Amino acid sequence: MLKSLKSVGVAAGFATALAMGASAQAADAPTKMSVIGTWNSMTNYNDREAPFWRGIAKKTKGGVIATIGSYSEFGLKGFEVMRMLKSGVFDYAYGLPGYVAAENAVFEGGDLSSVTQDIVTQRKVAEASFPTLEKAFAKYYNAKLLQLYPFPSQILYCKNPISGIADLKGKKIRVYATSLGDFVEGVGGTSVTVSFGEVIPALEKGVVDCAITGTMSAYTAKWYQAAKYVYSMRVGWGLAFGAMNMDKWNSMSETQQTDMKARLDTLTDEMWAATAKEDDVAIACLTSNECPIGKDAPLGGMTLVEPTEADLAARDKVANDVVLARWAERCGKECADNWNATVGKVLNMKAVAK
């Protein structure tokens, strides 16, 4: 009997040792990540997204090994990215909430058109939105939201002369998100959906009269070849997200998760700081005689049109009466009430369906 018990004890000890060895081996195994970034013509991808993931193996001493490609390289438009993340095609994805808003209007709440005019306020809005968006990403896409970061401010680029917000009436204006379309329609224009890469020919052919995108995005994509006027009213921030497939996230140990989140938080801070600087740099390169990027950087030669106090007052009315009202109707009372209790408090605004 004693011998039998000893045998059981030895077997149990051996099994425990095996289990511990397997656990240690699993802990030592590198986490492999397939990442889809945004556009390789833009600084967010080239200067921050791609270097972070390409350098993570060295920084984690082989703990995380990642490959990253851009929408441009994969021929993606952005709208399909979260479905691909959900199905496990990618482990980590970057994108714009406007690309996933068709699933639920809650995704629009962190970057509603025309409600913020400065990046400090926009970061407060992003932070207030994070818990709500985190739940929505988990619910609709089986994804762990880990980053919210901005592209430079979204403003308007027009082919023909404009002097202010009143001149947008009757114009066909390129948008990429429903909320931007609400703003355009609120000022009397017609919203037109055109992919980013097709904007220059759309302007040249008269498919659109004006187009909306970020300042640095417009400069690096050379929109100045077709648009000659920059209207610097901020109608959005191109708030972007970084999210991980939830199954991949859950496969990581608590230590790995903590380390990954800390690294991504640092990257997010760098993205906000860089965007704050890039906004002014891009406008200078588009419109002035000097481009801060360097003496050999091309000059856009565009005419800068800045909003007047009357323009800003008109924008406020459109933001309240059209943008927020339409969004509240799309999202529903519970969603709007939650926004009012979080983001609305930051902005001192209220979303009420009309």
Side-chain angles (χ1 to χ4, degrees):
M1 180 69 174
L2 183 60
K3 184 176 180 180
S4 176
L5 287 173
K6 284 182 178 178
S7 298
V8 170
V10 170
F14 185 63
T16 300
L18 280 176
M20 290 176 65
S23 176
Q25 189 175 27
D28 292 336
T31 298
K32 295 182 180 180
M33 303 282 292
S34 174
V35 183
I36 180 68
T38 52
W39 300 269
N40 63 7
S41 62
M42 300 184 188
T43 53
N44 256 333
Y45 180 83
N46 289 317
D47 296 350
R48 291 173 283 284
E49 295 167 19
F52 174 86
W53 290 104
R54 288 172 181 159
I56 199 167
K58 183 176 181 180
K59 290 186 177 180
T60 61
K61 298 180 180 178
V64 178
I65 300 173
T67 58
I68 183 170
S70 66
Y71 290 179
S72 318
E73 293 164 303
F74 282 96
L76 301 176
K77 294 183 178 180
F79 296 98
E80 66 275 70
V81 165
M82 285 309 293
R83 292 194 300 272
M84 298 174 83
L85 183 75
K86 184 177 181 179
S87 64
V89 175
F90 300 111
D91 299 310
Y92 199 92
Y94 289 102
L96 303 181
Y99 287 169
V100 295
E103 191 72 50
N104 193 292
V106 68
F107 291 107
E108 299 176 67
D111 190 17
L112 290 167
S113 179
S114 72
V115 299
T116 62
Q117 289 296 296
D118 66 88
I119 197 166
V120 173
T121 302
Q122 182 56 35
R123 181 149 200 190
K124 292 177 182 177
V125 166
E127 290 169 352
S129 301
F130 198 99
T132 300
L133 293 176
E134 185 177 29
K135 291 177 184 176
F137 272 92
K139 178 179 179 180
Y140 294 102
Y141 291 108
N142 188 41
K144 174 70 174 176
L145 179 64
L146 288 162
Q147 293 180 268
L148 286 177
Y149 67 99
F151 278 77
S153 63
Q154 309 295 293
I155 58 178
L156 292 108
Y157 308 82
C158 295
K159 182 176 181 179
N160 297 314
I162 65 166
S163 59
I165 196 169
D167 292 333
L168 299 177
K169 186 176 182 178
K171 296 284 195 298
K172 295 171 294 191
I173 302 175
R174 177 264 180 175
V175 303
Y176 60 83
T178 304
S179 177
L180 291 172
D182 292 336
F183 169 80
V184 167
E185 290 163 21
V187 299
T190 301
S191 61
V192 182
T193 302
V194 177
S195 66
F196 184 82
E198 295 299 317
V199 168
I200 290 178
L203 284 164
E204 290 173 340
K205 295 173 183 176
V207 174
V208 295
D209 302 302
C210 305
I212 295 171
T213 196
T215 51
M216 188 59 76
S217 305
Y219 176 69
T220 56
K222 301 181 180 179
W223 279 20
Y224 50 80
Q225 293 177 347
K228 301 304 176 186
Y229 295 82
V230 178
Y231 183 42
S232 62
M233 174 179 287
R234 292 181 169 99
V235 295
W237 286 91
L239 187 70
F241 62 79
M244 188 181 295
N245 176 282
M246 190 67 80
D247 296 334
K248 172 63 75 171
W249 175 255
N250 289 334
S251 73
M252 299 169 68
S253 69
E254 187 175 341
T255 299
Q256 289 173 319
Q257 290 175 348
T258 300
D259 180 70
M260 178 63 75
K261 186 177 183 306
R263 293 179 188 279
L264 288 169
D265 285 348
T266 299
L267 174 63
T268 299
D269 287 341
E270 292 170 358
M271 287 169 155
W272 282 94
T275 294
K277 295 177 182 177
E278 284 183 357
D279 223 13
D280 291 337
V281 168
I283 290 178
C285 293
L286 286 165
T287 64
S288 72
N289 294 322
E290 290 185 21
C291 179
I293 292 175
K295 64 179 182 179
D296 295 325
L299 298 175
M302 302 180 77
T303 299
L304 177 63
V305 180
E306 296 183 289
T308 63
E309 289 299 319
D311 285 347
L312 294 175
R315 180 219 62 183
D316 290 344
K317 183 171 176 56
V318 171
N320 281 291
D321 295 352
V322 181
V323 175
L324 285 175
R326 286 188 180 184
W327 177 74
E329 186 173 347
R330 285 195 299 275
C331 210
K333 186 178 186 307
E334 183 179 350
C335 173
D337 287 346
N338 176 68
W339 188 92
N340 293 334
T342 53
V343 178
K345 285 188 174 180
V346 173
L347 299 174
N348 194 28
M349 298 178 81
K350 197 169 184 179
V352 180
K354 294 182 181 179

